[in-house]
Amino acid sequence: MKHSPPHILLVNPWITDFAAYNLWSRPLGLLEIGGILRDVGFQVSLIDCVDAENFSVTVPFSPRLTRYGTGKLRRTPIEKPGILASVPRRYCRYGISFDDFSSRLAALPPPDLILITSIMTYWYPGVREAIMILRRIFTKTPIWLGGNYATLLPQHALAVCKPDRVITGPFTRETLQDIVKTLGRPNPPAGSEFTGLPFWEGYKAHHFICVKSSHGCPFHCQYCASNLLHPFFKERAIGEVAREVSQGTRLFGVRDVAFYDDALLVNAKTRFIPLMRGLLRAGLSLRFHTPNGIHIRLLTAEIAELMKISGFYTLRLSLEATQPAWQERFGSKTSLKEFDRALSVLFRAGFTTDAIRVYLLVGLPGQTMRDVLQSVREVLKRGVKPSLAEYSPIPGTAFWEEACRVSPYPLREEPLTHNNTLLPCGGQEITKATLDGIKHLIASEQLSDPPENGASEPVFPFQEEANQNHP
Ligand code: B12
Ligand code: SF4
């Protein structure tokens, strides 16, 4: 008798925040896991609670898209948690309704295991709500929680969200073995057209794909969680990445590809350069984006030219600050001189200021308004656009203790207070009001954009072509 393989349900829970925007956002880690499980032979399903376009049931949602496939998320205003009550902004749940989630679940064959992911620490209410609903519908199915929040705050996740198990760090061979031990080994199917890809087939409508050519980062910046999330910097084989990009974009009819790498240009000679040359040779006519900032020091003339001819449309440079003292605190990754050199190689390669935004980190413990203004002015002076990234304190990082010391918020007790919108370590000086002033200054230079961090809707060039689907 032939048995159907065990069924594993993947869930990306809701975002709960003051603002969120689909800046090529997908739960890539969970989709990678789904791809592995599908290739091993499990039956895999996905519910992405954030994606109302693909997962709404009752009221359809068609986001107005920018030319590059990004767009708004459906949002439902919800009551602010008490600790955020004084923040004068609307707090929302982004994605499908609870009823739609329940309907989607009811329509599935009962899963044998549920894997749920998590991203920002301050988005845990969505994780908790998803687990509560999952438990009500599938009373006996084990629920395992992983991802960034689960890795950074495993005890909080276990106590507050109550999964059966919290799994920290990257998905490993041991976790796969545990799944096989729990559910039994399925018979691997004959290779399908999706073999080797993340579980992209879990979505119907596609406007972009995201990809990582490496996991983690060899740098150790004091504010960043990369080393905690991926303790070892691992580079993928370029043939595998190239196949993922060419096959994924062809199968799902998309042209936009967002790199999620933390360290895209590290070891460029053996990774980025041959990867992009290979993709160019394949003649795919794609558009690439780096929503995560890239390293200024590593941007050479050769890389800039290759980026231009291979179709990079959204370039984000991680300058962070212009003061040498702050640059030193950020790991001495770059300097103003290197920034000037990087801009000149980009302009020489044919990039215009439209494609470039410069990330400045604001609201760090000890940072003054003078520091921020000075950095903004230095960037504006060069004719390029600063994008203010508000600091979000992350447990376990080197800055954490200082963040806890200076913040008026109970960062240790309540992860909701890690939300960058609160500027939890900005003190009296770096507040929403003072940053709004800086944004007006930027606007008056006619270079204005809201902070482009996925928390607000970015303005792209060619806005008149917004809402077009891809050719
Ligand atoms: C891409 C990215 C973005 C994108 C889009 C994010 C998205 N997907 O929606 C953009 C550019 C929009 C963005 C914005 C911001 N980001 Co961001 N972002 C990232 C990045 C690089 C990847 C996030 C992601 O999607 N990961 C998906 C994860 C879950 O995949 P993964 O780690 O590869 O998954 C592996 C494991 O986690 C595990 N796993 C995952 N799920 C599961 C489930 C189970 C059951 C198991 C067993 C295992 C498992 O297995 C996977 C494969 O090995 C991370 C850094 C990183 N390296 O993760 C930062 C990160 C999440 N961002 C961070 C920050 C600070 C921000 C901003 C606040 C920055 C700013 N100041 O503006 C804004 C937030 C704005 C907002 N409100 O949305 C912080 C998080 C801070 C926090 N307190 O939690 C991070 C960790 C980076 C950092 N500085 O350290 N971000
Ligand atoms: S901030 Fe960037 S360079 Fe520094 S450790 Fe994090 S990912 Fe790496």
Side-chain angles (χ1 to χ4, degrees):
M1 199 171 76
K2 208 173 160 204
H3 293 282
S4 54
H7 174 208
I8 301 179
L9 170 63
L10 312 175
V11 177
N12 182 33
W14 292 275
I15 292 175
T16 46
D17 208 330
F18 296 100
Y21 181 81
N22 183 354
L23 194 68
W24 303 288
S25 301
R26 286 285 187 241
L28 185 57
L30 187 71
L31 300 177
E32 285 167 0
I33 296 173
I36 295 169
L37 297 172
R38 169 241 291 133
D39 291 351
V40 171
F42 290 107
Q43 184 192 347
V44 180
S45 312
L46 168 75
I47 300 183
D48 184 341
C49 298
V50 177
D51 182 357
E53 183 185 15
N54 277 293
F55 292 93
S56 277
V57 180
T58 40
V59 187
F61 178 69
S62 308
R64 197 166 172 268
L65 296 174
T66 66
R67 180 183 207 213
Y68 303 135
T70 66
K72 284 188 175 158
L73 298 169
R74 170 178 278 163
R75 62 178 190 179
T76 310
I78 54 171
E79 199 181 324
K80 261 179 253 174
I83 189 109
L84 305 178
S86 62
V87 184
R89 294 190 59 175
R90 234 176 356 178
Y91 192 69
C92 297
R93 183 183 306 110
Y94 290 84
I96 61 176
S97 67
F98 283 168
D99 285 348
D100 282 357
F101 185 48
S102 302
S103 310
R104 287 270 168 198
L105 293 175
L108 287 174
D112 300 291
L113 177 66
I114 298 169
L115 300 182
I116 176 163
T117 193
S118 57
I119 301 182
M120 306 291 163
T121 50
Y122 48 87
W123 291 348
Y124 78 82
V127 179
R128 186 181 51 197
E129 280 153 352
I131 292 178
M132 264 159 50
I133 297 172
L134 286 162
R135 285 244 184 269
R136 223 178 294 139
I137 297 188
F138 301 120
T139 46
K140 297 213 168 77
T141 310
I143 301 175
W144 294 4
L145 170 66
N148 291 357
Y149 155 64
T151 301
L152 295 170
L153 290 173
Q155 279 148 8
H156 184 277
L158 195 60
V160 174
C161 300
K162 301 188 170 45
D164 294 296
R165 200 172 152 189
V166 169
I167 298 174
T168 58
F171 186 76
T172 58
R173 199 176 285 276
E174 288 71 47
T175 312
L176 178 59
Q177 278 163 0
D178 275 358
I179 294 176
V180 169
K181 234 190 275 161
T182 310
L183 304 183
R185 178 173 288 284
N187 291 325
S192 83
E193 56 183 347
F194 301 120
T195 304
L197 290 183
F199 192 68
W200 291 119
E201 69 268 35
Y203 299 89
K204 273 207 181 93
H206 294 265
H207 307 297
F208 58 85
I209 61 166
C210 9
V211 67
K212 263 181 162 185
S213 69
S214 59
H215 301 286
C217 179
F219 296 96
H220 292 81
C221 301
Q222 300 189 51
Y223 65 85
C224 174
S226 186
N227 305 140
L228 301 168
L229 300 171
H230 293 271
F232 303 102
F233 176 55
K234 275 200 196 134
E235 298 178 271
R236 296 178 60 197
I238 50 177
E240 199 183 286
V241 183
R243 203 179 67 83
E244 194 174 306
V245 171
S246 55
Q247 205 178 334
T249 49
R250 186 175 45 77
L251 273 174
F252 303 110
V254 297
R255 287 184 59 196
D256 290 287
V257 180
F259 277 106
Y260 265 25
D261 291 65
D262 285 333
L264 184 63
L265 300 186
V266 165
N267 300 331
K269 278 206 178 332
T270 49
R271 183 162 46 97
F272 183 77
I273 294 175
L275 170 66
M276 294 319 296
R277 290 228 170 98
L279 288 170
L280 254 182
R281 274 196 303 274
L284 298 167
S285 179
L286 301 177
R287 294 184 293 227
F288 295 96
H289 312 278
T290 64
N292 240 353
I294 53 175
H295 290 107
I296 288 172
R297 179 171 294 162
L298 304 178
L299 195 53
T300 61
E302 182 185 12
I303 292 175
E305 279 158 29
L306 187 56
M307 283 181 152
K308 185 65 196 161
I309 51 173
S310 42
F312 275 73
Y313 282 78
T314 313
L315 276 186
R316 300 297 168 254
L317 307 181
S318 297
L319 180 61
E320 298 169 342
T322 57
Q323 300 77 20
W326 275 110
Q327 285 168 346
E328 206 183 310
R329 287 199 75 193
F330 295 147
S332 301
K333 292 192 297 289
T334 195
S335 63
L336 257 188
K337 206 166 143 204
E338 286 169 338
F339 178 52
D340 283 331
R341 191 198 42 78
L343 286 181
S344 79
V345 295
L346 287 173
F347 292 143
R348 240 180 290 134
F351 282 100
T352 60
T353 52
D354 284 342
I356 304 167
R357 301 279 187 284
V358 181
Y359 280 141
L360 295 175
L361 203 47
V362 300
L364 287 129
Q367 198 180 32
T368 63
M369 206 54 199
R370 206 161 149 256
D371 295 333
V372 175
L373 257 175
Q374 195 181 32
S375 297
V376 166
R377 289 219 169 91
E378 287 289 353
V379 174
L380 288 174
K381 220 160 66 186
R382 287 155 174 84
V384 280
K385 303 170 191 188
S387 193
L388 307 182
E390 297 106 349
Y391 170 60
S392 161
I394 309 178
T397 55
F399 273 11
W400 175 248
E401 290 302 324
E402 196 181 343
C404 292
R405 200 165 40 76
V406 306
S407 181
Y409 293 101
L411 300 180
R412 283 186 216 283
E413 291 77 38
E414 183 42 86
L416 289 170
T417 60
H418 306 169
N419 193 318
N420 61 329
T421 300
L422 303 181
L423 290 157
C425 301
Q428 306 282 333
E429 277 201 38
I430 301 181
T431 61
K432 178 170 183 321
T434 52
L435 287 187
D436 281 349
I438 296 201
K439 282 171 208 161
H440 282 117
L441 166 78
I442 299 172
S444 69
E445 303 272 333
Q446 302 205 317
L447 290 167
S448 165
D449 275 331
E452 197 184 83
N453 52 11
S456 355
E457 181 176 3
V459 177
F460 288 106
F462 317 112
Q463 273 290 306
E464 69 278 11
E465 292 177 43
N467 205 22
Q468 275 192 353
N469 278 327
H470 305 295

